[in-house]
């Protein structure tokens, strides 16, 4: 139809003035996002505990890979999501190759990836 217009998202018109600071968004995180953060933190802490246990049961090169991955897996600090994913996949690979003793770590990595919303 002619004359119909649709607007999606923000629309701002400014005519002159000084000290304009832009759009102020009064939004809050969704309840789902707030609920995931503590669950993710708990899942990562459990994974870290399991990795410490597994570390003592694998060969030195695998133990070193686990050590190298711990900082990137942690939810503490400023972790790059790509680096975190790579570290999770590295420890999942170790867990998969050591069989039954690695299964709890593998399950934990799967849980963390799901909470991050990342498929393997």
């Amino acid at each position: 139809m002619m004359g119909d217009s649709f607007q999606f998202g923000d629309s701002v018109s400014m005519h002159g003035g000084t000290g304009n600071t832009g759009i102020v968004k009064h939004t809050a995180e969704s309840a789902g996002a707030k609920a995931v953060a503590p669950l993710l933190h708990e899942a990562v802490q459990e994974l870290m505990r399991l990795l410490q246990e597994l570390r003592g049961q694998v060969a030195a090169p695998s133990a070193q890979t686990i050590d190298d991955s711990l900082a990137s897996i942690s939810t503490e600090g400023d972790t790059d999501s790509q680096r975190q994913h790579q570290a999770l996949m590295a420890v999942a690979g170790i867990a998969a190759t050591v069989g039954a003793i690695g299964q709890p770590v593998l399950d934990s990595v799967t849980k963390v990836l799901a909470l991050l919303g990342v498929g393997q």
Side-chain angles (χ1 to χ4, degrees):
M1 295 181 163
M2 238 170 56
D4 289 343
S5 65
F6 299 94
Q7 173 66 40
F8 296 97
D10 299 322
S11 175
V12 178
S13 298
M14 295 173 50
H15 303 280
T18 59
N20 298 317
T21 58
I23 301 172
V24 176
K25 304 261 187 184
H26 296 285
T27 59
E29 288 184 35
S30 67
K34 288 181 182 178
V36 170
L39 291 175
L40 177 60
H41 181 74
E42 290 172 16
V44 168
Q45 293 305 311
E46 176 65 10
L47 174 59
M48 302 284 268
R49 185 187 67 73
L50 291 169
L51 285 170
Q52 290 297 335
E53 289 178 12
L54 181 63
R55 184 190 181 288
Q57 300 175 353
V58 297
S62 294
Q64 184 61 51
T65 300
I66 290 171
D67 290 344
D68 294 345
S69 299
L70 290 175
S72 295
I73 291 171
S74 174
T75 55
E76 307 298 322
D78 189 21
T79 302
D80 175 11
S81 63
Q82 182 175 356
R83 180 168 283 174
Q84 184 180 39
H85 186 262
Q86 290 170 341
L88 288 166
M89 297 310 288
V91 297
I94 293 168
T97 60
V98 296
I101 63 170
Q103 191 60 48
V105 169
L106 196 53
D107 294 341
S108 187
V109 167
T110 301
K111 181 177 180 178
V112 169
L113 288 171
L115 288 169
L116 288 170
V118 178
Q120 291 183 16

